[in-house]
Amino acid sequence: MNGYDEKSRFDDEPAPGSFVRAFDAFPKAKPQYVTRTSGGGKWTVAMIVVSALLFWSELARWWEGEEDHTFSVEKGVGHNMQINLDVVVHMECKDLHVNVQDAAGDRILAASRLQEDITTWAYWVDSKGIHKLGRDSHGRVDTGAGWHDEGFGEAHVHDIVAMGRKSARWSKTPRLKHGVKGDSCRIYGSLDLNRVQGDFHITARGHGYSEMFAEHLDHNAFNFSHIVSELSFGPYYPSLVNPLDRTINVATGHFHKFQYFMSVVPTVYTVAGGGALGGAKTIFTNQYAVTEQSKEVGERMVPGLFFKYDIEPILLTVEERRDGVLTLLLKIVNVLSGVLVAGHWGFTLSEWLREAVGRRRRGGGRSEGVIGAKGGYDD
């Protein structure tokens, strides 16, 4: 009976209550043949940590996707282009003239198409995020590198497309408190212009273009200090930050001329596959690079703000591609399988090395071979 009991204890029949084990296709060692070691636990913890890091890295790489930047000659001929402007000038609205002169010879009285609101300079100059061109809100030089909460910057394409789908509405101008007189003018809105090189400028009344019955403004009233809250080309996407957005420039004298030279590049952002975004996955917009030149001029010159723009004949396409969910799962399985295999080999080698060192220490450095030598055999 003892032999029978000992045999039944090592049979392959599943224990009661473990019916699922009967369908296990992978043979496993019985508990009495397994020795638990502290080294095995350490390797298990290390494998779990490495697997978690690689899993998160693979998931983050999949979410970011791969971006392809392609330059090509723009196909077709565009006749119209929209410009979006939101500028606060430290002068009264009645003393300003807003005009557009393009290479086609057309002159557009932009003031009749834009909204002008009386406001105070102090409200806008203390706003959060206002900075000089080329510097951040702390006065440090802005190299354009790094992550930005909004806009082009280093944001991913799917973030830009998602932000571009937000509703486009101009913010309201704060009301003046009772008894407070406005000393500035907010000029904002969108204009449809010819898609050619042009010059958008804001000058003082009676200066610049020769106009009939235009009153000559006193030179002491000139103050072209300004804050650019928005300046973009193409459809208005308020969530996208452009190079001139939230910039401030202060005039050091009455006759001060500010010039901004912009090179506009048509840009298409698209997300291939884009299952996480849904809906529209492409937006058409424009990016631009800008350089500034500001200086005091003589009384024979025309002071003011001059935004000179030129349309480049190239098209930048930024496409984000992302693997499917099935491909992602296969990559994760491959990574985790590699970690398990590497961990198994590492554990096996470490245990072999530990046993070899232990035998050497116990035997005093004398090797006994595989079977060993029986003491007193020669006797």
Short mmCIF file of all heavy atoms in Angstrom, two decimals, residues 11 18 30 53 104 148 208 212 273 278 306 316 336 377:
data_model
loop_
_atom_site.label_atom_id
_atom_site.label_comp_id
_atom_site.label_asym_id
_atom_site.label_seq_id
_atom_site.Cartn_x
_atom_site.Cartn_y
_atom_site.Cartn_z
N ASP A 11 1.39 10.61 -9.78
CA ASP A 11 0.75 10.36 -11.07
C ASP A 11 0.41 11.69 -11.74
O ASP A 11 0.55 12.77 -11.16
CB ASP A 11 -0.50 9.48 -10.90
CG ASP A 11 -1.53 10.14 -10.00
OD1 ASP A 11 -1.29 11.31 -9.60
OD2 ASP A 11 -2.55 9.51 -9.70
N SER A 18 -9.28 21.15 -9.99
CA SER A 18 -8.40 21.80 -10.98
C SER A 18 -8.63 21.15 -12.34
O SER A 18 -7.73 20.58 -12.92
CB SER A 18 -6.94 21.70 -10.56
OG SER A 18 -6.59 20.34 -10.40
N LYS A 30 6.62 19.31 -11.45
CA LYS A 30 5.81 19.20 -10.25
C LYS A 30 6.42 20.02 -9.13
O LYS A 30 7.62 20.28 -9.11
CB LYS A 30 5.69 17.73 -9.85
CG LYS A 30 4.93 16.90 -10.86
CD LYS A 30 4.79 15.49 -10.40
CE LYS A 30 4.00 14.67 -11.43
NZ LYS A 30 2.63 15.21 -11.60
N LEU A 53 8.62 48.89 -18.98
CA LEU A 53 9.25 50.02 -19.67
C LEU A 53 9.17 49.87 -21.18
O LEU A 53 8.85 50.83 -21.90
CB LEU A 53 10.72 50.15 -19.21
CG LEU A 53 10.94 50.56 -17.75
CD1 LEU A 53 12.43 50.55 -17.43
CD2 LEU A 53 10.34 51.94 -17.48
N ALA A 104 -0.58 93.04 -57.32
CA ALA A 104 -1.49 93.17 -58.46
C ALA A 104 -1.95 94.60 -58.66
O ALA A 104 -2.68 94.89 -59.62
CB ALA A 104 -2.69 92.24 -58.28
N HIS A 148 5.39 72.97 -27.20
CA HIS A 148 4.51 74.09 -26.94
C HIS A 148 3.12 73.53 -26.69
O HIS A 148 2.70 72.55 -27.27
CB HIS A 148 4.47 75.05 -28.14
CG HIS A 148 5.81 75.64 -28.47
ND1 HIS A 148 6.33 76.71 -27.78
CD2 HIS A 148 6.75 75.30 -29.38
CE1 HIS A 148 7.50 77.03 -28.28
NE2 HIS A 148 7.79 76.18 -29.24
N GLY A 208 0.84 108.74 -45.16
CA GLY A 208 0.85 107.55 -46.01
C GLY A 208 0.22 107.86 -47.34
O GLY A 208 0.79 108.56 -48.17
N MET A 212 -8.23 112.63 -49.99
CA MET A 212 -8.96 113.90 -50.02
C MET A 212 -9.69 114.11 -48.70
O MET A 212 -10.24 113.18 -48.12
CB MET A 212 -9.96 113.90 -51.19
CG MET A 212 -9.31 113.79 -52.57
SD MET A 212 -10.54 113.81 -53.89
CE MET A 212 -11.30 115.42 -53.62
N GLY A 273 -4.96 57.11 -41.72
CA GLY A 273 -5.57 56.09 -40.88
C GLY A 273 -6.31 56.69 -39.73
O GLY A 273 -7.47 56.40 -39.52
N GLY A 278 -11.01 60.42 -35.72
CA GLY A 278 -12.33 60.38 -36.29
C GLY A 278 -12.61 61.65 -37.08
O GLY A 278 -11.93 62.65 -36.98
N PHE A 306 4.04 97.87 -40.76
CA PHE A 306 4.05 97.36 -42.14
C PHE A 306 4.32 95.85 -42.10
O PHE A 306 5.40 95.42 -41.69
CB PHE A 306 5.11 98.08 -42.97
CG PHE A 306 4.87 99.56 -43.11
CD1 PHE A 306 5.34 100.45 -42.14
CD2 PHE A 306 4.18 100.05 -44.20
CE1 PHE A 306 5.12 101.80 -42.26
CE2 PHE A 306 3.95 101.42 -44.33
CZ PHE A 306 4.42 102.30 -43.36
N LEU A 316 4.15 72.36 -48.45
CA LEU A 316 4.68 71.45 -47.43
C LEU A 316 3.56 70.53 -46.96
O LEU A 316 2.51 71.00 -46.51
CB LEU A 316 5.24 72.24 -46.24
CG LEU A 316 5.63 71.42 -45.01
CD1 LEU A 316 6.73 70.42 -45.35
CD2 LEU A 316 6.07 72.33 -43.87
N LEU A 336 7.80 41.43 -25.50
CA LEU A 336 7.68 40.70 -24.23
C LEU A 336 8.29 39.30 -24.34
O LEU A 336 8.90 38.81 -23.38
CB LEU A 336 6.21 40.62 -23.82
CG LEU A 336 5.51 41.96 -23.55
CD1 LEU A 336 4.08 41.73 -23.11
CD2 LEU A 336 6.27 42.74 -22.50
N TYR A 377 39.98 5.57 -3.05
CA TYR A 377 39.75 4.55 -4.06
C TYR A 377 41.00 3.70 -4.27
O TYR A 377 40.88 2.51 -4.50
CB TYR A 377 39.35 5.25 -5.36
CG TYR A 377 39.11 4.29 -6.51
CD1 TYR A 377 37.94 3.54 -6.59
CD2 TYR A 377 40.10 4.10 -7.49
CE1 TYR A 377 37.76 2.66 -7.64
CE2 TYR A 377 39.91 3.23 -8.53
CZ TYR A 377 38.72 2.50 -8.60
OH TYR A 377 38.54 1.62 -9.63
#
